[in-house]
Amino acid sequence: MYRGLREQPIFSTRAHVFQIDPNTKKNWVPTSKHAVTVSYFFDSTRNVYRIISLDGSKAIINSTITPNMTFTKTSQKFGQWADSRANTVYGLGFSSESHLVKFADKFAEFKEAARLAKEKSQEKMELTSTPSQESAPGDLQSPLTSESINGTDDERVTPDTPQHTEARAEPSQNALPFSHSSSSINKHWEVELAALKGNNAKLTAALLESTANVKQWKQQLAAYQEEAERLHKRVTELECVSGQTTVIKSQKTELNQTIEELELALKAKEEELERLKAEVESANEFQSQKDSLTQKLQDTESRNQVLEAQLSDLEQRLESSQQEREAFRKSLRSLLELLDSKIFELTELRDTLAKLLEGS
């Protein structure tokens, strides 16, 4: 079991693992098909901290933390660090910003611990050095520098970080016509729906993967329970044996320890099952939100059609009103011309009558 290991995990999280492309030094290459466990390990024998991640039985991260390493957060959910010993740059994509912040805080904490351990080791080396070595400084090797352990700043590559952005339509400050306003609203809901569809696809894939893992863990739990029952029976049988008391006691102790480890493993699997149930509930909530937004989009489209029909009717009314006003202007103009001619005739008639009156 795990009792014989000198390294113990002190912090674990889950993330998607990437490595920098060794050819381009710019693009990320995924080393895991899905999120895997990434753990900090502490080697009490060598006083060393390491970051280790396994994809099945394959080690995709094996990085020793040195004092001059730097973990850089390049986005809200992505971070990276350079390992000159492995001659690569590791990248981790987390499911949330809080997980990234916790991992970065632990990196800084263990980096400081590695620095203190290195200083203590150097102090011990200086105290144990002989007088002959102190009198011949030219024979001493040059101390390790930050550049020799983790590379210089020029070796630290900051590649293009994979980020997920969502375009959101913002309302204009100026008043727009009905058609433009409804078009912008329609585009906004279409973008929201596309983003939700993408999230839904990811959650569906995660749910399928979680379902498969649950089946596997249930099989493992059943196997652990059978093993525990077998061990309990074995303990009972050994207790019934009168001879070889010392051997029986040692075997009993070992079996009890094995049972405790199996119980701890069962507890961990149960906690993992609870977490998966919470993820399934979250996926159902996202599905309900998607349905709600789909209904809102349909309502918006129907309102858009009504507004377009109203706009078309208003345009027709405006065109008819303009034609009627133009016809009224023409008739008014012809009436004015007729009135001018009648006034002119009346003026001539008045002049003629005046002359007749004067002549009589």
Side-chain angles (χ1 to χ4, degrees), residues 21 23 83 113 190 241 255 283 290 311-312 314 320 330 350:
D21 189 342
N23 298 323
D83 188 341
E190 287 176 354
V241 179
L255 288 173
K290 174 196 169 185
L311 179 61
S312 177
L314 288 174
S320 176
K330 289 181 180 179
R350 183 182 66 79

Side-chain angles (χ1 to χ4, degrees), residues 1-18:
M1 295 296 175
Y2 298 100
R3 299 191 306 273
L5 295 179
R6 65 183 183 184
E7 282 186 304
Q8 297 294 333
I10 51 180
F11 177 79
S12 297
T13 186
R14 292 184 67 82
H16 291 270
V17 180
F18 300 85

Side-chain angles (χ1 to χ4, degrees), residues 204-273:
T204 303
L207 181 60
L208 292 175
E209 178 185 349
S210 300
T211 304
N213 290 335
V214 166
K215 292 180 180 179
Q216 182 181 0
W217 289 333
K218 284 182 178 179
Q219 294 175 355
Q220 293 179 355
L221 287 174
Y224 288 153
Q225 289 174 351
E226 292 177 358
E227 180 68 11
E229 291 176 359
R230 188 186 66 80
L231 292 174
H232 279 297
K233 290 180 180 179
R234 179 61 177 166
V235 170
T236 304
E237 293 174 358
L238 291 174
E239 288 177 347
C240 295
V241 179
S242 58
Q244 300 179 352
T245 306
T246 306
V247 177
I248 291 174
K249 287 183 178 180
S250 63
Q251 290 180 352
K252 179 181 177 181
T253 303
E254 184 177 355
L255 288 173
N256 287 333
Q257 291 176 351
T258 305
I259 291 171
E260 291 177 357
E261 292 174 357
L262 289 173
E263 289 176 349
L264 292 175
L266 284 172
K267 184 178 179 181
K269 295 299 181 183
E270 289 175 355
E271 293 177 353
E272 187 69 17
L273 285 174

Side-chain angles (χ1 to χ4, degrees), residues 7 15 27 86 102 123 161 205 220 261 279 294 325 336 352 359:
E7 282 186 304
N27 300 325
K102 288 181 181 178
E123 289 176 358
T161 304
Q220 293 179 355
E261 292 174 357
E279 290 182 356
T294 303
R325 189 167 65 176
L336 288 174
T352 303

Side-chain angles (χ1 to χ4, degrees), residues 320-360:
S320 176
S321 175
Q322 288 177 349
Q323 292 177 356
E324 291 177 358
R325 189 167 65 176
E326 187 66 24
F328 178 74
R329 285 181 179 177
K330 289 181 180 179
S331 61
L332 183 61
R333 192 178 293 110
S334 61
L335 182 61
L336 288 174
E337 291 176 355
L338 179 61
L339 184 60
D340 289 339
S341 64
K342 294 298 182 182
I343 291 174
F344 181 73
E345 290 177 358
L346 287 173
T347 303
E348 290 182 347
L349 180 60
R350 183 182 66 79
D351 293 340
T352 303
L353 289 176
K355 289 178 181 181
L356 290 175
L357 287 175
E358 289 177 359
S360 62

